[in-house]
Amino acid sequence: MADTAAAQEFDILILGGGSGGYAAALRAVQLGFTVGLIEKGKLGGTCLHNGCIPTKALLHSAEVADTARSSEKYGIKATFESIDMPAVNAYKDGIIAGKYKGLQGLIKSKGITVIEGAGKLTSTTTVDVDGTSYTGKNIILATGSYSRTLPGLEIGGKVINSDHALTMDTLPKKAIVLGGGVIGCEFASVWKSFGVDVTIIEGLPSLVANEDATIIKAFERAYKKRGINFNTGTFFEKVEQNDDGVVVTLADGKTFEADLMLVAVGRGPVTEGLGYEEAGVTIDRGFVITDERLHTGVGNIYAVGDIVPGLQLAHRGFQQGIFVAEEIAGLKPVIVEDINIPKVTYSEPEIASVGLTEKAAKEKLGEDKVLTQEYNLAGNGKTSILGSAGLVKLVSEKDGPVIGVHMIGTRMGEQIGEAQLIVNWEAYPEDVAQLIHAHPTQNEALGEAHLALAGKALHG
């Protein structure tokens, strides 16, 4: 990290150096602003050090483990020995270290002043950092999120959160994951590939409940096939620790035993004790309330990322950071609604989606105004080569644009780039149908699905 600031007045003062904060800083200096970036931990925030990057590194190790076990299916005779967790962690930590060093160098090269320490908003134009006051003509709040737990459920001993799960040097034989959302399902996927007996406990009726119903069904079938157990529709009641591990009791009295329990019930905004409310910023359930242009309604204070209600995704925070820098510069950037931000669950199989689900589209437009189209990946050559399965589902307005793309399968997250362009640019099925998709790729599935929706299905 760069040396503590010598200057104390900036055009833009940013509280938080995670995805939203550093993106705002980089774009702001491009636009000619002086920038002070305050960070009490490490530049890159949760995404780089405790979230996106380390979990995806573990997921890649998990994919390698699965491939090694099934290598004979591909004509390769190999022996799978074991999971070496210290070595897995060394690989993961090496990725993080490289990205961290690169980010530090980039921030320094752009002339951004990094202010090390814990910042607190003291007025609409000032932030105190460990006793030193810094002034910003504009202030961006970007303090990120923390791993939440449930009321009365304490983290400790054999009850861990995602931060602990990322640094484990030994694996449990049996684990319970409390929470069937993205984080819980990703860790369950990793641990199953590493040989752990995993059970997911989810109070909602299904896993990954915010996804399209067709995708949810396919995902749950895939997890059952992999041997990942899950109990949905009944809420957690309590957990007891003993010498052997944990005993989890649900509201219906059902119990589960394991070596440990991972609490993965979402993330909460980091806003408490930072002076936001005292400065006049509206806080609701810990979140900073803004208008659609991310202004708090107080002075020249903006907020970005996980502290703003909505999707808690690193790329959302990154985009919002750029947006606010351009907003301050008077460039009038285009608003991107949360529904049009791509989402990926990086499990095996992966879920990738953007836009409205079939249910949401019908609620918004009416039953007779929505068309859907599914393409089974069994017909895709590259998917067969990978030994995978899955589907692409399109949701469109009748005689109108595509308003939702939902995909499931191995590495399908890599296809979300085109999908988000289709939805955000309001492409019609026939617009995409005429595009050429390279063969053999899984990307062809998007093309085939749009051919079918445009009435030009060649397969099936």
Side-chain angles (χ1 to χ4, degrees):
M1 191 175 287
D3 293 335
T4 301
Q8 293 179 283
E9 296 182 6
F10 302 91
D11 294 325
I12 300 177
L13 195 56
I14 304 169
L15 187 52
S19 300
Y22 81 72
L26 289 169
R27 184 64 179 123
V29 294
Q30 280 184 339
L31 295 169
F33 294 113
T34 58
V35 177
L37 181 60
I38 303 165
E39 175 55 56
K40 68 177 181 179
K42 294 181 177 180
L43 288 176
T46 294
C47 175
L48 178 53
H49 301 284
N50 302 101
C52 315
I53 299 302
T55 55
K56 279 55 185 178
L58 291 182
L59 282 155
H60 183 62
S61 291
E63 181 183 11
V64 172
D66 288 335
T67 302
R69 286 192 188 94
S70 61
S71 64
E72 197 165 338
K73 181 171 75 173
Y74 305 105
I76 307 299
K77 291 186 177 181
T79 302
F80 178 84
E81 294 183 7
S82 64
I83 304 295
D84 183 346
M85 279 308 297
V88 169
N89 285 330
Y91 155 70
K92 164 181 63 71
D93 293 343
I95 299 294
I96 295 169
K99 295 299 178 185
Y100 179 44
K101 184 177 180 180
L103 179 59
Q104 286 177 301
L106 178 63
I107 293 293
K108 185 176 181 179
S109 72
K110 299 299 182 181
I112 296 166
T113 301
V114 176
I115 304 165
E116 298 180 352
K120 182 177 181 179
L121 193 63
T122 50
S123 77
T124 58
T125 57
T126 58
V127 175
D128 178 89
V129 183
D130 298 332
T132 301
S133 184
Y134 297 89
T135 300
K137 296 175 184 176
N138 301 274
I139 291 179
I140 301 174
L141 310 178
T143 41
S145 61
Y146 66 94
S147 184
R148 292 178 53 215
T149 186
L150 298 177
L153 176 57
E154 294 186 9
I155 303 298
K158 296 164 184 174
V159 178
I160 67 173
N161 62 22
S162 58
D163 292 342
H164 305 122
L166 286 170
T167 59
M168 293 168 54
D169 274 340
T170 59
L171 291 167
K173 291 182 179 180
K174 195 172 185 179
I176 291 170
V177 176
L178 181 60
V182 173
I183 297 172
C185 287
E186 288 186 352
F187 273 104
S189 185
V190 168
W191 280 349
K192 183 62 182 179
S193 296
F194 284 173
V196 179
D197 182 359
V198 184
T199 299
I200 303 172
I201 304 296
E202 172 54 60
L204 295 177
S206 73
L207 302 180
V208 291
N210 291 328
E211 297 294 342
D212 185 89
T214 303
I215 299 298
I216 290 172
K217 289 178 182 178
F219 185 76
E220 291 187 340
R221 283 197 303 269
Y223 264 36
K224 286 178 181 178
K225 186 175 181 180
R226 289 189 63 194
I228 297 175
N229 307 305
F230 52 90
N231 191 98
T232 58
T234 306
F235 286 98
F236 167 87
E237 183 72 26
K238 65 178 180 178
V239 60
E240 298 169 295
Q241 300 191 44
N242 55 45
D243 292 340
D244 296 324
V246 296
V247 179
V248 175
T249 303
L250 304 188
D252 61 2
K254 189 182 295 185
T255 61
F256 298 84
E257 297 183 9
D259 300 323
L260 59 78
M261 181 175 78
L262 167 65
V263 179
V265 293
R267 299 187 64 82
V270 176
T271 56
E272 188 176 353
L274 298 180
Y276 294 176
E277 288 184 283
E278 292 82 351
V281 174
T282 301
I283 302 293
D284 182 18
R285 293 172 296 171
F287 291 96
V288 176
I289 304 304
T290 72
D291 63 16
E292 64 179 4
R293 305 201 72 81
L294 300 174
H295 188 263
T296 64
V298 179
N300 291 324
I301 301 177
Y302 298 81
V304 301
D306 287 358
I307 61 173
V308 178
L311 295 174
Q312 291 183 313
L313 299 169
H315 47 279
R316 173 181 180 255
F318 190 88
Q319 184 272 338
Q320 288 182 338
I322 295 171
F323 178 96
V324 167
E326 294 182 349
E327 180 75 0
I328 292 170
L331 299 182
K332 298 181 180 180
V334 175
I335 296 168
V336 178
E337 296 182 14
D338 270 14
I339 194 63
N340 289 337
I341 295 175
K343 302 177 296 180
V344 182
T345 301
Y346 294 90
S347 52
E348 176 49 48
E350 285 186 352
I351 298 172
S353 63
V354 61
L356 295 173
T357 63
E358 178 181 352
K359 180 182 177 181
K362 288 180 175 178
E363 289 174 350
K364 180 179 180 180
L365 302 173
E367 292 274 343
D368 60 342
K369 301 295 185 182
V370 175
L371 297 177
T372 65
Q373 180 68 51
E374 294 180 23
Y375 176 79
N376 194 317
L377 290 178
N380 179 262
K382 187 59 180 287
T383 301
S384 297
I385 291 168
L386 293 173
S388 181
L391 63 93
V392 172
K393 179 176 179 177
L394 305 180
V395 180
S396 77
E397 294 183 25
K398 187 177 181 180
D399 301 320
V402 176
I403 54 177
V405 179
H406 308 275
M407 304 177 284
I408 183 170
T410 296
R411 304 179 189 173
M412 287 306 287
E414 300 301 322
Q415 310 311 317
I416 199 63
E418 181 180 0
Q420 69 94 20
L421 291 177
I422 290 167
V423 171
N424 278 278
W425 287 350
E426 301 179 344
Y428 280 57
E430 52 267 32
D431 294 331
V432 184
Q434 67 182 335
L435 301 177
I436 299 171
H437 296 78
H439 175 79
T441 63
Q442 292 199 102
N443 185 235
E444 284 180 284
L446 271 173
E448 292 273 0
H450 282 84
L451 278 168
L453 193 55
K456 303 178 182 180
L458 300 182
H459 297 93

